[in-house]
Amino acid sequence: MLTADPDAAASRAVGAARAALGDLSPSLAVLFASDHFLGSAEALVASVAEQTGALPLIGCVGEAVAGGAREVESEPAVALWLGAGLGPVETFAMEFVRTSSGGAYGGYRFAQEAAGAHLMICDPFSFPADGRLAHLNDRVPGAVVMGGMASGGLRSRQTRLFLDGRVLSRGAVGAHLPRAEVHPLVAQGCRPIGNPFIITRADRNVIHELGGRPPLARLRTGRGTARPGPGTAGPGHSRGGGHRRVPGRAEPG
C-alpha cells in the first residue's frame, strides 16, 4: 500500500488481506514495511494489531516490499499476509549475548521433538543466525527453520523487527507452526561462481566497478574460468533451493 501514513497504510493492508482471505479466520499475521516506516514502526504495528484483533504477528522493516505480483522499491509500501488453518501459533523473540567464551542464545528453546516449521526474521547486526543454525544442526537436527535477515536498517539499533504488538531493534523474532504444512520457495538461490571482488565504485544499489573493473567484464571472465558445481545454476538458468532448510540441515533462508 503506497502511503507513508501508518494508520492509512495499516487500514489498506488489513482490508486487502482480509478480502483475500474471505470468510476464513486468520491465525497469523506477517507484516513487512519499507524503510519509510523506520520512524513510525510502532504506530504501524499498533494500528495493524488493533485492526486484526491482536493476532500473533511477526515481520520487519525491509529495503523492498513485495505483495501479490508487485515489488516496490524506493517508495512507501506495506505488505500484510494473513494465514488461516495453520493450527496453533507460538510467537517468540530471541537474543544473542556475548560472553568471555563466545556467546549464548536466549529467549526461546527449540524442543528436541520440534514438529512443523519455525519462521524467523533476524537482525544482521546483533544476531549471528549462522551460529544458531549450526547449533540446531548439532543439537536439534529435526528442527525446520526458514526466514531471513531484516534489511531495512543500515547500522546497529536501526533494524525494526515486529513481534505481536511490539517493535524490537535487535535480536530475532519468530513463529512456531507445529501443525502447519510449509512449502519453502527461494528466489535467486544460486551458488556463487568465480572469485570474490570488492565493490570499488557504486551509486546506491547500482554497482559500477568490481575490483576496479566493470561488472560485465568480471562476469565474462568468471563465466570463462569457473565451472558450475552441484546446485549451481548455469548461464540462462535459475535454480531455487540454494537456501532451502530441510530437516537435519539448517541453512540461512
Side-chain angles (χ1 to χ4, degrees), residues 84 210-211:
L210 289 174

Side-chain angles (χ1 to χ4, degrees), residues 110 114-118 132-138 140-147 182-186 239-253:
F110 288 76
H118 296 80
R132 171 78 279 189
L133 296 177
H135 175 82
L136 291 176
N137 272 344
D138 293 337
V140 194
V144 176
V145 179
M146 292 174 286
V182 180
H183 301 275
L185 297 175
V186 178
R239 178 187 177 94
H243 296 287
R244 182 176 179 180
R245 169 69 171 88
V246 296
R249 182 73 64 181
E251 298 178 1

Side-chain angles (χ1 to χ4, degrees), residues 32-209:
F32 296 103
S34 65
D35 56 10
H36 302 80
F37 294 89
L38 281 172
S40 59
E42 289 83 0
L44 175 67
V45 171
S47 186
V48 169
E50 180 181 0
Q51 297 180 52
T52 57
L55 282 174
L57 181 148
I58 62 171
C60 69
V61 167
E63 183 178 2
V65 174
R70 186 179 186 185
E71 180 179 2
V72 178
E73 297 183 9
S74 304
E75 293 183 78
V78 170
L80 177 68
W81 177 83
L82 297 178
L86 303 175
V89 177
E90 178 189 12
T91 54
F92 59 89
M94 294 195 70
E95 61 179 351
F96 176 76
V97 180
R98 297 196 178 277
T99 66
S100 58
S101 60
Y105 296 88
Y108 179 77
R109 183 179 182 86
F110 288 76
Q112 289 292 334
E113 298 80 21
H118 296 80
L119 309 181
M120 289 189 68
I121 304 172
C122 310
D123 169 31
F125 300 101
S126 65
F127 194 87
D130 55 343
R132 171 78 279 189
L133 296 177
H135 175 82
L136 291 176
N137 272 344
D138 293 337
R139 303 296 180 87
V140 194
V144 176
V145 179
M146 292 174 286
M149 309 300 290
S151 61
L154 299 179
R155 52 187 175 271
S156 178
R157 292 286 187 176
Q158 197 178 57
T159 297
R160 297 294 181 267
L161 302 172
F162 308 149
L163 178 66
D164 301 329
R166 295 184 291 154
V167 176
L168 310 179
S169 61
R170 56 187 294 109
V173 297
H176 180 207
L177 312 176
R179 298 182 188 172
E181 182 178 349
V182 180
H183 301 275
L185 297 175
V186 178
Q188 303 165 344
C190 302
R191 181 175 300 171
I193 63 172
N195 298 316
F197 294 97
I198 296 174
I199 298 174
T200 51
R201 189 165 67 89
D203 180 14
R204 292 174 61 87
N205 64 329
V206 179
I207 299 174
H208 294 288
E209 284 185 1

